[in-house]
Amino acid sequence: MEITNFPAVDREIKKWGLRSESLIQILHGTQESIGYLPEEILSYIAEKLNISLSKIYGVVTFYNFFKLTKDAEHVITTCLGTACYVKGGEKILNALCNKLNIKPNEITKDNKFTVKTVRCVGCCGFAPVMIIDGKDIYGKLSENEAIEILERYMIP
């Protein structure tokens, strides 16, 4: 049974070839185009490459850069590596989650924010650190400063 056509996947298959060895490249390129990898896309790739869906899920869940769900409009990443943790990283995380009324990795009801944690962002000299949308880096934060920065992103 043929599943609905997905042009973004077809472009990647054309680029990398209809081979199981191309799976990671196809998944990566598809995610770049769509933003995440929903089940329908994974089923389509499984059918096209003649790979079991469970094997594809195994790959997608093994690598942390693949996303099965759509991200919020703003993704806040808080570092909980040793330097950040010692200097209050967990307090920053808790303050942000409390302000947004979510738990880590949840998305606010309006789909505007999510707060994720990582073990290290490589900015130990600026601990504690948070990154917003993968590009705006803020360091040497207090809980109040983190909330003030968050509030700038809350303005419509």
Side-chain angles (χ1 to χ4, degrees), residues 8-9 14 21 28 41 53-54 56 59 61 66 106 111 118 129 145 150:
V9 176
K14 185 176 181 183
E21 297 83 17
H28 181 65
I41 293 285
L53 185 56
S54 62
I56 292 178
V59 170
T61 57
F66 289 127
E106 289 183 344
N111 292 317
V118 294
V129 174
E145 289 168 327
L150 170 64

Side-chain angles (χ1 to χ4, degrees), residues 35-53:
Y36 69 114
L37 298 167
E39 185 176 356
E40 334 47 272
I41 293 285
L42 298 179
S43 294
Y44 184 73
I45 292 170
E47 180 179 313
K48 288 289 191 175
L49 297 182
N50 197 28
I51 299 174
S52 72
L53 185 56

Side-chain angles (χ1 to χ4, degrees), residues 100-150:
L100 295 169
N101 197 29
I102 60 173
K103 294 178 183 169
N105 300 312
E106 289 183 344
I107 297 176
T108 56
K109 290 179 183 174
D110 61 3
N111 292 317
K112 294 267 187 196
F113 296 95
T114 188
V115 180
K116 297 184 176 190
T117 62
V118 294
R119 288 291 158 213
C120 186
V121 297
C123 297
C124 301
F126 296 103
V129 174
M130 75 176 181
I131 302 171
I132 301 181
D133 299 333
K135 59 184 176 22
D136 300 329
I137 302 170
Y138 302 94
K140 297 187 177 183
L141 295 170
S142 68
E143 295 165 68
N144 289 335
E145 289 168 327
I147 296 302
E148 287 173 15
I149 292 165
L150 170 64

